Amino acid sequence: MKLAYWPGCVSRGFTPELHGSMALVAPKLGLELVELDRASCCGAGVIAEHNQELADTLNARTFALAQGVDGAAGMMNICSTCQGAQSECQERLDADSGYRDHINGTLSDQGLTYEKSGEWWNKNFMWLLVEEIGLDKLAAKVVRPLEGLRIAPFYGCYIVRPTHRLGFEAHPNRHKYLDHLIEILGAESVSYAGSHKCCGFPVITMNRATSLRQAGRHLADAIDAGADCLVTPCPLCHLNLDMQQPDAAKFVERDLDVPVLHLPQMVGLALGLEPKELGMDKHVVKTKDVQVKVAEVAAA
Amino acid sequence: MSILDKILGRDEEPADGDGPKNEAAGYTLKIRRYDPESGETAFWHEYDVDIAPERSVLDGILYAKDHEDASIGIRCSCRAAICGSCGVRINGKSALACNTRISDAQAKAGRGKPIVVEPMGNMPVLKDLIVDMDAVHWKKIQRVVPWLLPDGEPPEREYIVPAESMIDVTQSMACIQCGVCVSACLSLEVDPEFVGPAALAKAYRFVGDPRDGQTEERLRDLAEDPHGMYDCTHCFACIEVCPKDVAPMDQIMRLRRRATGDYEIKDKNNGYGHGKAFVDMIENWGTLHEAQMLPRSFGDGSMIKGQTEPGAVKQLVEALPTAIRGLKSGKVTPKAVLFHPKLPDQDNVRKIYKAIESQGERLELNLYIVADNSADEEGAMAEGTKEGLA
Amino acid sequence: MPQHDVLVIGAGLAGQRAALAAAETGASVGVISKVHPVRSHSNAAAGGINAALDPEDSWESHAFDTVKGSDYLGDQDAIEVMCREAPDEVLRLEHLGVTFHRSDEGKLGTRAFGGASAARTYYVADITGQALLHVLYEQLMKHDEVTRYEEWFTTALARDDSGRLAGAVTRNIRDGSLELFTAKAVILATGGNGQIFNPTTNALICTGDGIAMAYRAGAPLMDMEMVQYHPTTLAGIGLLITEGARGEGAHLLNAEGERFMENYAPNKMELASRDVVSRAEQTEINEGRGFPDGTVALDITVVPRHRILQSLREIVNVGRDFAGVDITSEPIHIKPGNHYVMGGIKTDIDGQTDVPGLYAAGECACVSVHGGNRLGANSLLDTLIFGRRSGVHAAQMGRGMAQPTPAGSELAREREAIQSIISRDRSGRRLSEIKAEMGKVMDEQVSVFRDEERLRGALEVVKRLQEEVKTVAVDDKGSVFNQDVLGALELQFMLDNAECIVMGAIERKESRGAQFRTDFPERNDDEWLKHINLTADGDIPAVSYSDVTMTQWEPEERTY
């Protein structure tokens, strides 16, 4: 399947292991990724907060670039925040033809137009796995079931709320896909209070306490529920849950030390890729225990 | 049974709800009871209720009160989602009991399982499903100076104001003060002092009202408050649960837009700095340069000017170990910190910035007012299905 | 013992407006409400508020429409006061912050409403009552000189030795404590009594508490038989579809697709006054031209979609959430349903009742501006005008007066009454069963079409239920938020209301406004152009009559 591929900023910045692991996983799934190297940041909601039209125009440009990829089935992203911010812009662009024409007017001298279409889509890797590839096909590709691993799904916000904007009418179970993926890859999905809550990242520079108390609380809940690690489809969540974890521990006044995987890393492990090539050594919280467990399963 | 079957089998949820799962018993409500006079902690009790699928969860609770135990405490009055009394949590989700269809609640609970009804979150429980709104919600509403403060004496007749501006603030005026967003707010969960979604939406009701004369003061107040407009984590929980499409978080974002864009309020919480740094970076490079995000955010958004607030310096220092950890773990290289590539055609991104900034006025499309001028069926998607899954 | 110059009971629009007006004169004011003020049922008045504010319009025209709408039973002096003062009141509310709809020039804009000869209804989408209520509550939050007693339930009024009003006995719902409040004046603003009917558009709190308390304290009730059935309510649950829908152009259709109002009100069609439209609908249904579920259809799809979404958003939600109907694309089934009581506590134009020191305003009062039938968008106006006037008058009246001393032992008596309900063991039926029987008989026998026989039957049921409720037991034995015991008190209030409605309906042997007697199908000005007053008097209310005040409009035949 050929896809216009938007990796986002953070996967090529502070979480290069995400970008790297996606690149390795794609061919195993038969995905041909055409990277949108001219596209700009989605704005993460921050640009829209500053100027809605600016965010809408930048994302309309990204969509137009994606629509220009010959033979692509659609556009894929690997960041929940990109998904949420882009869906928000797309909702406005699609709601009003006058507004859409105005935005396209700004893009016209670049030879770009965003076309509203019921056929075209922009899906996060998590959605794509379930809806375009299919759990059964994915199951068939598993060479190293993640048996014995207890994984806590961390969905975050942007990919589950608000449901009216995120396609839940057509796909009412999108809030359970991580659980499904964890289980189809052979691991056990851990249920805990924070799975669909906020990692706190958006206010990390504005209110560190509010931000890291959220991250810390959810990590602690996952640990208490017996998780070996977490998995998330959002690199911004990863920043707060992994990179900031030592500080989050201080805010909730307890030890945490639980690794957090990116979704393509988890998929990659089950498809037989090695932890090191998936960048699992580049985490702040060491992933050694997870690696050991995975190795044990492979040996058994 | 394969794992796949297990997943799919576990997952049979009709999106629209297909009526009672157990015809004989109708529905089962599992209600969290609490009697402050008993000296006991809260407990669960299940009630079988026999009502039609299109009736509400509130009707179910009233059925239980009428037929089984009238001591179940719940505030309720209008039955039509206008008085805002009956906020509860249904299967964990904050909502008005009166506009949650019982068959939908059953579908969410899952086949054969009881519908779980609890009091709202983030507020102390007084009895059963009744929470102390005064202690949290109304205190916060009072905090935002919730009345119009016009400049000078009123005109002889009405204030002349643009028609759209009145429709625009009618979105926040539509708030019925039910507290459902307060119950769902994820920032409040960790910071009880957060002014919160309902009160901030109420604040926008005045900030957006052209008759109000204290716009800048209101914005400054809420920008400088560490628990004010910049304490919202943008989690969409309030938008998701609001029964009146007030979209409190959108109103908070509009407060920020007004504070930074119209008044350039350089707050000590770095709200202004963070936004400006972000927006400027994309203009420079097209993508985010995280390594510069932190230093640029603190202060007024520009590292070069470096006019940082004392509070900002403290926060910057606190954040430094994070950057060092990034370098240590090998995920961030020193080169990446110093150098960030521009997009191949960054000029095109800059052109967009220029075009939009040259318009002078910010263009904002509010889907609450836009009743769609595309084909009607498209508008139906944007407007009509909003609460389809709520 | 809390003391105030003016004690307002009820904090909907009339109560809040009264409190603010009294406080502005410097009086000490307490407002008691059994629910948080913004939960009050004024919220539900969706469509708008009438005022002849446009220079092209005139208060006389508004007044005439109101007089005609009332089927000439409204007191014309009171109607003149209301219509004259309407424009200033609307402007006042606009200045306080109500986000009224604007015209393209930024001025106040209007919509059409039933029974009106001009488009003079000012509105905020279809949340006008809510917008007004919340703005007044903002003012209450601003003026902390008004003491608010939120979630306090008043059980009885208290008088002094001379028979003048001296206060009220009130239960703090949060802890169950009972207090005797004293005041130089008490203003009842407790709203309507729709809950005695089932179904009804009214909220669960609309139980006629103030009407019953005033009646028990010796104040006459007037025109209680005048109960409005609103033409567009959802079958079954009774929820309201605003008249604003017809104001925006929606049609009424019978099951044959015929726009039947042509046969009943060829000029005003769907915008004839409510009694006329409701009777027309009920006739269609009774004569077999309705739908099998006992309804006719309201077709809003003829209104442009953007206009519906902009100004009828609330009923889009009601249709979707409560009837499963997208009103922008298909007609919705509706029927006449209980909505409003024109009658109530008899007052003068300053809200004074016949009991010194006792005032009433809003739906619980009968000034009378609505007579036999209230026009849409006059109820909000009524609450504000007579709420304000009551507040001002009560504050002035109390100036220089000594704080009265309640006589006797109201507090002890009420405490005992409540305790006896709580401690009683169950025998007989549940409260909910008694309430259900009352609601059913009232809706079946005291609604759009009435006759002597069925009214007598209803009275018998009500009298029986009054006896039955005296021994009813409750499940909740606690003090904190004991809603069960309050439900028992409310049911007693409701049964007093029900008795008076049925008595008035039996008494009025003619058809006027909302009262249509199939056994007396004509209006009879010679004998019945008068108010019916009911006063508590042992087992059955004492009946007396008072004149309708006429100023400039003689009764005419009423056509639309």
Side-chain angles (χ1 to χ4, degrees):
Chain A
M1 182 185 294
K2 187 175 177 183
L3 294 163
Y5 172 46
W6 169 239
C9 303
V10 179
S11 81
R12 294 173 294 179
F14 271 20
T15 62
E17 69 279 5
L18 168 60
H19 191 240
S21 55
M22 187 66 231
L24 294 178
V25 165
K28 296 225 167 229
L29 294 169
L31 301 177
E32 183 193 343
L33 304 182
V34 183
E35 192 164 321
L36 298 171
D37 56 359
R38 291 163 61 202
S40 67
C41 171
C42 71
V46 181
I47 294 182
E49 184 185 316
H50 170 81
N51 188 317
Q52 219 180 59
E53 184 192 357
L54 180 58
D56 291 354
T57 313
L58 292 173
N59 281 312
R61 180 173 173 276
T62 300
F63 300 155
L65 290 168
Q67 289 176 336
V69 175
D70 240 5
M75 169 172 158
M76 183 182 88
N77 65 73
I78 49 170
C79 170
S80 299
T81 303
C82 291
Q83 181 72 60
Q86 290 176 336
S87 293
E88 181 177 334
C89 293
Q90 196 185 349
E91 183 187 33
R92 283 191 289 267
L93 291 166
D94 286 354
D96 190 287
S97 57
Y99 184 68
R100 191 162 61 246
D101 291 347
H102 171 81
I103 301 287
N104 277 331
T106 310
L107 298 176
S108 60
D109 66 347
Q110 304 182 28
L112 293 171
T113 305
Y114 164 64
E115 304 272 4
K116 179 183 172 179
S117 149
E119 305 292 303
W120 184 79
W121 44 254
N122 169 28
K123 289 188 179 186
N124 182 276
F125 180 51
M126 179 177 86
W127 294 351
L128 187 116
L129 278 170
V130 177
E131 294 162 9
E132 302 300 326
I133 293 175
L135 290 172
D136 46 350
K137 292 228 179 76
L138 180 62
K141 291 178 191 288
V142 171
V143 298
R144 182 203 279 146
L146 306 178
E147 275 160 29
L149 211 53
R150 291 174 52 82
I151 305 181
F154 190 88
Y155 292 84
C157 306
Y158 279 74
I159 204 162
V160 288
R161 285 182 295 270
T163 46
H164 75 263
R165 186 187 287 155
L166 292 170
F168 277 71
E169 288 86 359
H171 306 285
N173 289 321
R174 279 184 169 179
H175 61 297
K176 294 181 179 173
Y177 284 0
L178 270 187
D179 294 79
H180 295 174
L181 288 165
I182 290 168
E183 302 215 342
I184 209 75
L185 299 178
E188 186 185 340
S189 172
V190 175
S191 161
Y192 69 109
S195 58
H196 293 72
K197 291 186 179 178
C198 182
C199 70
F201 180 78
V203 294
I204 186 71
T205 63
M206 277 121 61
N207 192 328
R208 210 167 163 76
T210 293
S211 180
L212 293 182
R213 267 189 217 134
Q214 300 203 26
R217 187 178 285 201
H218 310 326
L219 289 164
D221 284 346
I223 292 168
D224 292 347
D228 297 317
C229 65
L230 286 79
V231 64
T232 180
C234 180
L236 299 179
C237 293
H238 197 271
L239 290 180
N240 244 29
L241 297 174
D242 176 58
M243 201 169 182
Q244 300 281 8
Q245 198 177 113
D247 280 358
K250 290 176 203 155
F251 278 97
V252 292
E253 294 172 343
R254 60 174 280 179
D255 288 337
L256 294 172
D257 201 26
V258 61
V260 183
L261 305 185
H262 299 282
L263 176 58
Q265 289 178 325
M266 178 178 78
V267 174
L269 285 175
L271 298 186
L273 293 162
E274 292 311 313
K276 197 170 168 66
E277 52 184 338
L278 291 167
M280 283 173 61
D281 292 340
K282 290 187 176 171
H283 290 205
V284 165
V285 179
K286 299 298 165 223
T287 59
K288 197 168 152 242
D289 291 351
V290 174
Q291 296 190 27
V292 169
K293 278 208 175 187
V294 170
E296 280 168 4
V297 173
Chain B
M1 189 165 82
S2 76
I3 297 168
L4 187 65
D5 291 337
K6 198 183 114 206
I7 291 171
L8 296 179
R10 196 183 56 184
D11 235 5
E12 279 175 79
E13 279 187 13
D16 54 354
D18 58 356
K21 300 296 179 288
N22 179 345
E23 292 296 338
Y27 300 91
T28 301
L29 296 177
K30 183 178 171 186
I31 298 179
R32 195 167 94 192
R33 303 288 312 265
Y34 169 64
D35 175 3
E37 297 170 84
S38 69
E40 314 269 319
T41 51
F43 62 98
W44 294 99
H45 195 90
E46 294 193 1
Y47 302 88
D48 291 335
V49 302
D50 187 11
I51 60 171
E54 68 271 16
R55 300 307 284 259
S56 68
V57 171
L58 177 64
D59 288 327
I61 297 168
L62 292 176
Y63 183 97
K65 275 174 80 110
D66 282 352
H67 292 81
E68 193 173 338
D69 185 354
S71 74
I72 302 168
I74 180 170
R75 291 192 185 100
C76 56
S77 182
C78 74
R79 308 163 293 138
I82 45 179
C83 78
S85 300
C86 66
V88 291
R89 281 182 294 179
I90 300 167
N91 301 320
K93 185 173 177 184
S94 302
L96 291 179
C98 72
N99 79 335
T100 304
R101 215 170 286 147
I102 198 157
S103 49
D104 291 347
Q106 182 66 67
K108 292 267 190 260
R111 190 182 296 265
K113 292 185 185 152
I115 297 162
V116 178
V117 186
E118 300 167 84
M120 289 196 286
N122 289 328
M123 288 176 273
V125 179
L126 295 174
K127 175 188 179 180
D128 296 338
L129 302 172
I130 299 169
V131 298
D132 192 345
M133 297 275 292
D134 293 345
V136 181
H137 174 77
W138 288 108
K139 203 170 98 190
K140 293 176 186 300
I141 294 288
Q142 190 85 32
R143 154 74 184 81
V144 301
V145 195
W147 46 81
L148 195 73
L149 291 167
D151 272 337
E153 289 301 303
E156 199 174 314
R157 282 183 64 98
E158 69 269 35
Y159 288 96
I160 307 295
V161 293
E164 311 80 64
S165 70
M166 286 292 100
I167 297 172
D168 180 56
V169 291
T170 293
Q171 184 177 15
S172 39
M173 197 73 230
C175 170
I176 55 175
Q177 310 296 342
C178 63
V180 164
C181 60
V182 174
S183 167
C185 177
L186 295 177
S187 275
L188 268 174
E189 225 177 67
V190 296
D191 179 10
E193 287 181 71
F194 177 38
V195 175
L200 289 170
K202 184 82 177 171
Y204 183 76
R205 175 252 170 285
F206 299 104
V207 164
D209 192 325
R211 297 170 296 182
D212 196 82
Q214 302 288 310
T215 311
E216 184 174 355
E217 291 78 356
R218 288 178 189 277
L219 288 167
R220 192 171 293 284
D221 172 33
L222 293 168
E224 295 290 3
D225 186 336
H227 312 286
M229 64 171 88
Y230 293 116
D231 200 14
C232 161
T233 64
H234 208 274
C235 76
F236 303 95
C238 56
I239 296 184
E240 179 67 14
V241 299
C242 176
K244 307 303 287 187
D245 289 342
V246 172
M249 192 196 92
D250 285 352
Q251 312 307 328
I252 298 172
M253 295 308 125
R254 294 160 106 189
L255 288 175
R256 292 185 184 176
R257 203 174 296 143
R258 299 288 303 268
T260 57
D262 294 353
Y263 295 96
E264 300 194 340
I265 296 168
K266 291 165 185 157
D267 59 287
K268 61 174 184 289
N269 300 308
N270 315 313
Y272 177 87
H274 174 258
K276 184 162 178 2
F278 196 114
V279 174
D280 287 354
M281 262 185 222
I282 308 307
E283 186 174 14
N284 276 337
W285 292 297
T287 56
L288 203 57
H289 186 182
E290 299 108 317
Q292 289 223 356
M293 194 65 214
L294 245 52
R296 278 180 174 242
S297 293
F298 298 118
D300 67 353
S302 148
M303 201 161 61
I304 300 128
K305 284 187 202 155
Q307 294 162 334
T308 42
E309 294 264 354
V313 171
K314 185 171 165 281
Q315 287 225 11
L316 175 58
V317 171
E318 282 171 357
L320 280 175
T322 316
I324 293 165
R325 273 198 301 275
L327 286 165
K328 266 189 173 169
S329 68
K331 61 161 62 191
V332 187
T333 62
K335 188 183 161 211
V337 173
L338 295 170
F339 178 75
H340 190 72
K342 279 181 196 165
L343 289 181
D345 58 348
Q346 179 60 17
D347 282 352
N348 281 332
V349 172
R350 290 209 179 121
K351 260 192 226 162
I352 291 173
Y353 269 74
K354 204 166 278 173
I356 288 168
E357 276 158 16
S358 69
Q359 283 172 191
E361 216 171 310
R362 278 194 313 268
L363 177 61
E364 193 179 323
L365 185 81
N366 184 351
L367 293 180
Y368 186 82
I369 352 182
V370 175
D372 182 52
N373 63 4
S374 313
D376 252 3
E377 68 275 14
E378 297 170 2
M381 283 303 290
E383 288 289 332
T385 56
K386 268 196 165 180
E387 290 180 4
L389 277 129
Chain C
M1 189 163 69
Q3 297 189 5
H4 293 282
D5 295 333
V6 176
L7 188 62
V8 182
I9 302 173
L13 278 180
Q16 291 195 33
R17 189 69 188 88
L20 285 170
E24 277 169 11
T25 71
S28 135
V29 182
V31 190
I32 297 172
S33 174
K34 67 177 176 178
V35 292
H36 186 284
V38 305
R39 314 294 174 217
S40 304
H41 195 56
S42 306
N43 269 331
I49 177 166
N50 287 333
L53 192 52
D54 190 311
E56 306 282 296
D57 198 359
S58 72
W59 71 261
E60 289 92 342
S61 164
H62 180 191
F64 172 71
D65 291 342
T66 304
V67 169
K68 180 182 171 188
S70 82
D71 219 349
Y72 297 90
L73 190 63
D75 285 312
Q76 296 179 7
D77 57 338
I79 291 171
E80 287 192 11
V81 163
M82 181 175 81
C83 297
R84 253 189 233 266
E85 295 182 1
D88 280 349
E89 190 64 28
V90 168
L91 289 177
R92 177 77 201 278
L93 268 298
E94 195 277 324
H95 294 159
L96 289 179
V98 176
T99 55
F100 282 115
H101 172 81
R102 305 288 158 147
S103 66
D104 289 343
E105 301 85 56
K107 297 179 179 170
L108 293 177
T110 59
R111 66 160 48 121
F113 238 65
S117 49
R120 63 168 74 92
T121 303
Y122 295 88
Y123 67 99
V124 182
D126 55 357
I127 56 166
T128 313
Q130 178 191 324
L132 291 168
L133 187 73
H134 284 238
V135 165
L136 281 186
Y137 190 69
E138 290 165 10
Q139 295 299 311
L140 279 190
M141 287 192 278
K142 181 179 174 187
H143 293 283
D144 51 14
E145 59 270 29
V146 178
T147 310
R148 309 193 301 265
Y149 301 91
E150 296 169 353
E151 301 194 313
W152 286 65
F153 185 99
T154 303
T155 67
L157 300 175
R159 286 181 291 178
D160 69 6
D161 285 329
S162 72
R164 113 169 245 111
L165 240 283
V169 180
T170 299
R171 179 179 166 97
N172 182 346
I173 298 174
R174 275 177 83 144
D175 63 13
S177 62
L178 205 63
E179 292 270 8
L180 176 62
F181 286 66
T182 71
K184 297 168 185 173
V186 172
I187 302 174
L188 291 169
T190 52
N193 56 17
Q195 278 294 315
I196 64 182
F197 292 79
N198 185 21
T200 175
T201 63
N202 283 200
L204 297 166
I205 57 173
C206 301
T207 50
D209 304 4
I211 295 175
M213 284 189 280
Y215 176 67
R216 293 174 187 179
L221 305 183
M222 187 165 92
D223 299 339
M224 285 295 283
E225 69 279 11
M226 294 304 179
V227 175
Q228 181 167 79
Y229 267 59
H230 192 287
T232 52
T233 70
L234 292 184
I237 40 179
L239 298 183
L240 176 70
I241 303 292
T242 176
E243 183 165 316
R246 283 171 289 138
E248 299 289 344
H251 295 171
L252 288 168
L253 306 173
N254 62 21
E256 291 153 22
E258 185 193 2
R259 209 177 152 196
F260 58 84
M261 283 309 296
E262 281 168 7
N263 307 324
Y264 301 88
N267 297 317
K268 298 294 284 185
M269 298 292 285
E270 283 83 359
L271 290 179
S273 66
R274 288 179 177 173
D275 58 327
V276 173
V277 180
S278 283
R279 265 194 302 279
E281 291 176 3
Q282 196 61 51
T283 305
E284 293 296 305
I285 295 162
N286 291 352
E287 293 179 0
R289 293 185 294 279
F291 295 96
D293 59 344
T295 61
V296 290
L298 178 70
D299 184 6
I300 309 172
T301 65
V302 294
V303 181
R305 192 185 142 77
H306 71 274
R307 182 69 191 157
I308 297 177
L309 292 176
Q310 199 182 66
S311 66
L312 298 171
R313 176 180 290 268
E314 192 53 43
I315 58 169
V316 174
N317 295 343
V318 168
R320 182 195 60 210
D321 295 342
F322 300 102
V325 170
D326 174 7
I327 60 154
T328 65
S329 64
E330 56 184 318
I332 184 165
H333 287 198
I334 51 84
K335 60 176 284 202
N338 172 273
H339 182 59
Y340 186 88
V341 59
M342 275 71 73
I345 307 159
K346 180 179 191 292
T347 75
D348 67 10
I349 56 171
D350 292 312
Q352 297 193 88
T353 70
D354 287 5
V355 175
L358 180 63
Y359 292 74
E363 189 172 345
C364 71
C366 182
V367 188
S368 157
V369 286
H370 308 306
N373 172 67
R374 175 175 69 74
L375 293 190
N378 265 355
S379 63
L380 290 178
L381 183 60
D382 172 18
T383 63
L384 294 173
I385 299 292
F386 294 104
R388 173 172 53 72
R389 291 180 69 95
S390 298
V392 170
H393 198 276
Q396 280 166 355
M397 191 270 310
R399 201 167 292 158
M401 196 181 123
Q403 196 74 13
T405 312
S409 50
E410 267 91 354
L411 185 61
R413 202 183 58 220
E414 289 302 307
R415 184 171 288 135
E416 198 179 312
I418 291 171
Q419 202 45 52
S420 84
I421 299 172
I422 291 179
S423 54
R424 202 176 286 155
D425 286 331
R426 175 160 317 285
S427 65
R429 295 197 293 173
R430 296 178 69 79
L431 268 175
S432 55
E433 293 168 307
I434 302 174
K435 188 182 175 199
E437 187 179 356
M438 169 184 67
K440 186 163 183 286
V441 77
M442 293 299 287
D443 189 59
E444 285 177 359
Q445 293 176 222
V446 200
S447 51
V448 176
F449 294 110
R450 303 167 171 176
D451 62 62
E452 176 99 17
E453 193 192 331
R454 291 189 308 147
L455 289 171
R456 293 267 172 216
L459 185 61
E460 240 171 68
V461 172
V462 169
K463 296 303 290 184
R464 171 167 55 76
L465 297 179
Q466 279 177 333
E467 286 307 307
E468 203 174 338
V469 79
K470 284 179 188 163
T471 59
V472 80
V474 294
D475 298 333
D476 196 336
K477 307 293 182 191
S479 304
V480 177
F481 273 94
N482 187 333
Q483 299 169 316
D484 202 6
V485 75
L486 301 184
L489 300 176
E490 286 175 337
L491 186 54
Q492 294 178 9
F493 289 148
M494 284 191 275
L495 285 164
D496 283 4
N497 280 262
E499 181 185 8
C500 292
I501 288 172
V502 181
M503 279 293 294
I506 292 171
E507 186 63 23
R508 184 174 292 281
K509 294 180 173 52
E510 65 154 353
S511 291
R512 179 186 302 273
Q515 155 107 338
F516 194 95
R517 289 281 299 260
T518 51
D519 41 357
F520 300 99
E522 299 299 324
R523 190 173 87 189
N524 180 349
D525 287 341
D526 294 339
E527 287 180 63
W528 289 103
L529 185 56
K530 59 187 178 189
H531 299 297
I532 296 174
N533 300 316
L534 302 175
T535 313
D537 182 25
D539 193 39
I540 203 102
V543 179
S544 61
Y545 306 101
S546 55
D547 291 338
V548 175
T549 308
M550 300 280 177
T551 57
Q552 47 179 313
W553 297 284
E554 286 300 314
E556 291 169 8
E557 196 195 346
R558 187 160 161 264
T559 56
Y560 285 99

